[in-house]
Amino acid sequence: MIKAIALLGEYAPTFPPHISTDAAIQHAWNLLNVEVAVDWVSTEDISPTLFEQYSGIWVAPGSPYKSMELTLSAIRYARENKIPCFGTCGGFQHMVIEYARNVLGFKDAQHAEYDPYASSLFISQLACSLAGREMQLNFAPDSQVAAIYGSLSAQERYYCNFGVNPDCIDELKQGPLNVSGADAEGEIRVIEHPDHPFFIGTLFVPQARSTPERPHPLVTAFLEAVVRS
């Protein structure tokens, strides 16, 4: 049986991160020599039957999404039912919001892109945009992401203007979710759930650095998790 992945987001054929998402999946597919069905699903079309069709979700860049609430519900279901879930850029940001609301108990946790004046902003506008920048990352030893890279550091590309609110870092670290990657200034750039086959979010866009000759290890690991599920 062919496994299927839902790419959650508002697909735009000229948006570079969406183009690179499709390409990176193909690169990993060729490396693994597996066949995986892939569909873009608008967030407003997320239905209760989503996981009857798909064995994994990739919450893609390109927020704000048409339905933040349906996106968060899909992330929550994947987290609670150990379904592979990968979030990059905007996807990372929504994984943080879902976790803050449903695990840490901050029911009003919000994203500045949707409500910049909310009282509990877990995702805020970055003081300096990272769009188009490449930066060095450091990974926590013994983390899943370090094992996937086979390294404690990497250089990655960003497309984002929002990130974890520095005022909420202490709260974010209270639960089981691990902060497994940070930039040179110590800002949170990677999160992962330790009790999950694949629940990883990256503020950077790993698919942007994938090539046919060198498929990105995170994308490859995500596909492997889907195939095993």
Side-chain angles (χ1 to χ4, degrees):
M1 179 181 176
I2 297 176
K3 297 296 182 73
I5 295 169
L7 302 178
L8 304 183
E10 318 312 333
Y11 180 69
T14 59
F15 185 43
H18 290 176
I19 296 170
S20 61
T21 297
D22 287 334
I25 289 174
Q26 187 66 55
H27 302 158
W29 178 351
N30 292 340
L31 175 67
L32 297 172
N33 194 27
V34 298
E35 188 172 354
V36 179
V38 180
D39 296 315
W40 281 92
V41 177
S42 171
T43 61
E44 67 178 353
D45 294 329
I46 295 171
S47 74
T49 62
L50 181 76
F51 293 100
E52 294 178 13
Q53 301 172 256
Y54 299 102
S55 301
I57 59 171
W58 183 338
V59 192
S63 60
Y65 302 134
K66 290 183 177 179
S67 177
M68 180 183 189
E69 297 306 320
L70 289 177
T71 303
L72 297 182
S73 70
I75 294 170
R76 180 176 187 174
Y77 189 93
R79 176 179 55 78
E80 293 180 341
N81 292 276
K82 300 189 185 304
I83 295 169
C85 177
F86 191 23
T88 58
C89 196
F92 162 95
Q93 297 159 18
H94 287 72
M95 290 170 78
V96 169
I97 295 296
E98 187 281 322
Y99 180 76
R101 288 187 181 184
N102 300 316
V103 177
L104 300 181
F106 294 90
K107 298 301 182 184
D108 58 347
Q110 190 54 273
H111 189 308
E113 199 168 27
Y114 298 85
D115 186 356
Y117 303 108
S119 59
S120 185
L121 283 176
F122 269 74
I123 298 296
S124 59
Q125 188 159 5
L126 296 169
C128 181
S129 172
L130 295 178
R133 296 177 63 188
E134 286 193 6
M135 298 177 66
Q136 183 77 12
L137 288 152
N138 298 309
F139 304 130
D142 301 323
S143 65
Q144 184 179 6
V145 70
I148 289 170
Y149 274 88
S151 174
L152 293 179
S153 65
Q155 189 90 3
E156 292 289 0
R157 190 174 303 165
Y158 294 80
Y159 280 90
C160 56
N161 297 308
F162 296 84
V164 174
N165 184 348
D167 295 336
C168 296
I169 291 175
D170 288 342
E171 288 88 347
L172 194 62
K173 291 181 176 180
Q174 288 175 4
L177 195 72
N178 288 337
V179 174
S180 53
D183 64 14
E185 286 75 41
E187 298 290 339
I188 296 174
R189 300 297 183 238
V190 187
I191 55 172
E192 64 182 51
H193 201 295
D195 186 29
H196 197 288
F198 194 102
F199 190 87
I200 294 175
T202 69
L203 190 62
F204 58 87
V205 184
Q207 56 267 49
R209 291 180 60 83
S210 182
T211 67
E213 297 76 24
R214 298 187 66 182
H216 198 284
L218 278 175
V219 180
T220 302
F222 172 60
L223 258 66
E224 286 181 313
V226 171
V227 171
R228 291 196 304 265
S229 65

